[in-house]
Amino acid sequence: SDANAYGAARVISVLLSVATVLVIYQIGRRFWSERVGIAAAVLYATLPAVTAYAKIVDLDTPMVLCFTLAGYWLMVWQQQRTNRALWWSVLWASLAVATKFNASLFLFVVLSALIADWRAQPRGWRVPQPIMLGPFVAVGLLYLVWPWLWHDPIGQFQATLAHWNGVV
């Protein structure tokens, strides 16, 4: 029946929301304290928008999970200074953008982190390689995970963006 048509998708949505709560807990615990992790996770999990989106089937839930994981790995990079952490951040940010284009706002988070990094050590500072290659990773991942683009990548992408030309 139609009432049960989205059951599995709703379960996946709830699982992705729970995963986001766990990542937020991990961020709070790792970078501040256990109490901060618990408080942040509980606060996030009880936000009305979060509970509402967890119940419906849409692209916001996986995008928020990917965005949060990208932020987590960016914070790990700031702490450990390893390219591995930065590659993970690029990967998750790319998946977030491939899920929903407004996740490209993560670029402002990355730019803020890079400016802070540059200000902390301006001598000999260079843009890290994962950041330089990040746009290529994002475009490549978008192409790989979106069969809609496979036939005519540029034309199909233009068709996707064309719906914004209408008047609301």
Side-chain angles (χ1 to χ4, degrees), residues 50-94:
V50 172
T51 56
Y53 276 109
K55 295 177 185 178
I56 62 175
V57 179
D58 70 347
L59 294 175
D60 290 297
T61 306
M63 187 269 298
V64 168
L65 174 60
C66 293
F67 195 100
T68 306
L69 281 164
Y72 169 77
W73 283 107
L74 186 64
M75 293 171 74
V76 170
W77 170 74
Q78 288 179 310
Q79 186 181 59
Q80 295 179 353
R81 318 303 298 166
T82 65
N83 272 352
R84 180 178 172 265
L86 207 47
W87 278 117
W88 278 111
S89 183
V90 166
L91 174 70
W92 285 111
S94 298

Side-chain angles (χ1 to χ4, degrees), residues 9-82:
R10 285 187 176 132
V11 168
I12 292 170
S13 185
V14 168
L15 293 175
L16 292 173
S17 293
V18 168
T20 305
V21 169
L22 294 175
V23 172
I24 288 171
Y25 162 74
Q26 177 64 17
I27 289 170
R29 188 182 71 76
R30 179 174 182 155
F31 297 102
W32 289 278
S33 70
E34 180 81 17
R35 286 174 46 172
V36 169
I38 291 170
V42 168
L43 179 63
Y44 177 78
T46 58
L47 289 172
V50 172
T51 56
Y53 276 109
K55 295 177 185 178
I56 62 175
V57 179
D58 70 347
L59 294 175
D60 290 297
T61 306
M63 187 269 298
V64 168
L65 174 60
C66 293
F67 195 100
T68 306
L69 281 164
Y72 169 77
W73 283 107
L74 186 64
M75 293 171 74
V76 170
W77 170 74
Q78 288 179 310
Q79 186 181 59
Q80 295 179 353
R81 318 303 298 166
T82 65

Side-chain angles (χ1 to χ4, degrees), residues 89-105:
S89 183
V90 166
L91 174 70
W92 285 111
S94 298
L95 285 171
V97 171
T99 304
K100 202 164 178 189
F101 293 148
N102 63 353
S104 60
L105 291 172

